[in-house]
Amino acid sequence: MRSDELAVMMEFLKARLRDDEAAAHALNKNKDVEALRDRILADVAAKRRLMWWVEKPRDKTAELTTDGTTWKDKAVNLAADVLTDLWVSRRDPVICELVAAYEGHPDFRPEWKPTEDEYEHTDFAKRR
């Protein structure tokens, strides 16, 4: 996945989480609705933590990168790039899965829809 595409997906997801959070706060208070509101807010907070977890390797790479003037600096930069690529390739699919939950939203892009060959489908009902 291109980093610019991921950035657009992250912005889309951030906006949907703001929408969910606002909707949860707008609910009238009674026992059932309050429990639903609390669950929605907990869900929004968990998704934000996952987004942070996905973005963290990019922050770490910036800390590792040097000015690149010596062979040692160039080696450190190369190692940081390889490590970031590895982290990102393992973490970016999390954003794809979170974004997929908003498929019915008018700003959702068709190319964000996961395809069957992108991941191995697990039928949890058969595992029981």
Side-chain angles (χ1 to χ4, degrees):
M1 176 185 319
R2 296 186 341 251
S3 61
D4 58 333
E5 185 69 16
L6 180 68
V8 172
M9 291 173 76
M10 293 287 268
E11 286 305 313
F12 171 83
L13 188 54
K14 287 175 185 178
R16 298 302 67 76
L17 294 178
R18 285 190 301 269
D19 293 346
D20 291 350
E21 188 174 41
H25 283 297
L27 293 172
N28 292 325
K29 293 192 177 189
N30 69 42
K31 188 176 179 180
D32 293 334
V33 172
E34 193 168 325
L36 175 61
R37 184 200 66 207
D38 291 346
R39 196 224 32 92
I40 292 169
L41 293 175
D43 185 63
V44 166
K47 288 176 181 175
R48 285 187 174 140
R49 287 191 301 274
L50 284 170
M51 292 174 71
W52 174 84
W53 178 78
V54 168
E55 289 181 317
K56 190 65 177 161
R58 291 173 182 85
D59 298 340
K60 286 292 182 191
T61 300
E63 293 172 15
L64 293 173
T65 304
T66 64
D67 63 9
T69 56
T70 68
W71 69 268
K72 185 178 177 182
D73 290 341
K74 291 177 183 179
V76 167
N77 291 347
L78 177 62
D81 289 344
V82 168
L83 182 59
T84 299
D85 288 347
L86 178 62
W87 280 343
V88 166
S89 70
R90 302 288 186 200
R91 293 179 182 209
D92 285 356
V94 170
I95 299 304
C96 295
E97 291 298 322
L98 293 175
V99 167
Y102 296 94
E103 186 177 343
H105 191 278
D107 293 336
F108 185 89
R109 296 181 182 182
E111 63 267 22
W112 294 346
K113 186 175 179 179
T115 60
E116 287 295 321
D117 61 338
E118 287 180 330
Y119 59 91
E120 186 177 322
H121 179 71
T122 303
D123 188 348
F124 292 103
K126 290 182 181 177
R127 295 174 115 185
R128 292 187 212 164

